[in-house]
Amino acid sequence: MTKALVSAVWVQGALREAASEERARGSMSFFKTGPGEYGEGDRFLGVTVPAQRAIAKEARGLAFAELDALLASPWHEARLTALFVLVNAYERGESQAKGEVARFYAEHFSRVNNWDLVDSSAWQILGRHVRGGAPSPLAVLARSRSMWERRIAMVSTFAWIKEGESEPACTLAASLLNDREDLMHKAVGWMLREVGKRVSVQALVAFLDAHADDMPRTSLRYAIERFPAEERLRWLARGKELRTPSAAKRSALRNAP
């Protein structure tokens, strides 16, 4: 395929050729697309991630107008493939090109609207760009009403973690401990676990010492996943004890008007 012939239409056709109805049904269940679920209304063709990456490789250099069309698609795989192309463009681009990719990405946050779309692009584009010296929007995104924008902020800190820096992840994690969404609890715990794995166990333990009492159980479980079994139990017991109201408090709650 010559680059002159690669377009959004070509990408969509290639995705349809690789589609599987059976896989699409499984993806709709896996990504929670039912009424009231986090992925409500998302549509799937049923294309494997390796196939999407292969198509994205053929579509390297796709113009922003073509990527805009893919990101506007109702098909999940079209959006993910466009993001793979963007990540590649950022990685291969010079300074000016990186800035253009990062700006385009930020303009399309609303289309980065499922957890795999976030996790496949946030730290690779936004995180790297901000760490490279661009003004940081992460604190603002962390306060967004959009769960996906909040997840973009949290996952973007992986760019620092991979370079041995824990502070951005720990600071943002602390600000998101009261998030109401389980997918955010998972993102916070995941980044904290990576701090312990890639940067410093001591940094993770220091965070837990300061915040374990207030951490959602999902975040805590993710964060301590690599700890020895006995240590995991100690942290979980501490959390459970501090989350369980005393008998007197339970009685007061029962008798409250």
Side-chain angles (χ1 to χ4, degrees), residues 139-191:
V140 174
L141 287 174
R143 296 191 297 270
S144 172
R145 296 180 63 181
S146 164
M147 176 179 66
W148 304 122
E149 291 190 357
R150 299 197 303 276
R151 189 171 174 109
I152 286 170
M154 190 68 243
V155 174
S156 289
T157 66
F158 195 33
W160 282 266
I161 294 169
K162 287 177 70 69
E163 299 299 327
E165 302 172 50
S166 63
E167 184 177 352
C170 291
T171 298
L172 209 62
S175 76
L176 288 165
L177 289 182
N178 293 322
D179 199 284
R180 63 189 179 276
E181 299 290 349
D182 189 61
L183 278 176
M184 287 305 302
H185 302 168
K186 291 177 179 178
V188 167
W190 171 28
M191 290 300 103

Side-chain angles (χ1 to χ4, degrees), residues 219-236:
S219 294
L220 184 56
R221 286 188 180 277
Y222 270 57
I224 64 177
E225 193 173 77
R226 295 176 61 85
F227 285 8
E230 289 187 4
E231 189 172 357
R232 290 201 306 272
L233 290 174
R234 285 198 300 271
W235 282 110
L236 290 172

Side-chain angles (χ1 to χ4, degrees), residues 87-182:
V87 169
N88 178 264
Y90 187 86
E91 290 174 343
R92 295 164 65 92
E94 300 296 334
S95 178
Q96 180 176 343
K98 287 181 186 295
E100 292 170 355
V101 170
R103 283 190 292 274
F104 180 85
Y105 181 67
E107 289 167 359
H108 291 80
F109 282 158
S110 65
R111 304 306 296 159
V112 187
N113 54 357
N114 214 313
W115 61 263
D116 63 323
L117 305 180
V118 173
D119 298 356
S120 298
S121 61
W123 72 265
Q124 298 92 325
I125 299 175
L126 183 63
R128 284 171 169 166
H129 198 59
V130 172
R131 186 179 178 276
S136 178
L138 300 190
V140 174
L141 287 174
R143 296 191 297 270
S144 172
R145 296 180 63 181
S146 164
M147 176 179 66
W148 304 122
E149 291 190 357
R150 299 197 303 276
R151 189 171 174 109
I152 286 170
M154 190 68 243
V155 174
S156 289
T157 66
F158 195 33
W160 282 266
I161 294 169
K162 287 177 70 69
E163 299 299 327
E165 302 172 50
S166 63
E167 184 177 352
C170 291
T171 298
L172 209 62
S175 76
L176 288 165
L177 289 182
N178 293 322
D179 199 284
R180 63 189 179 276
E181 299 290 349
D182 189 61

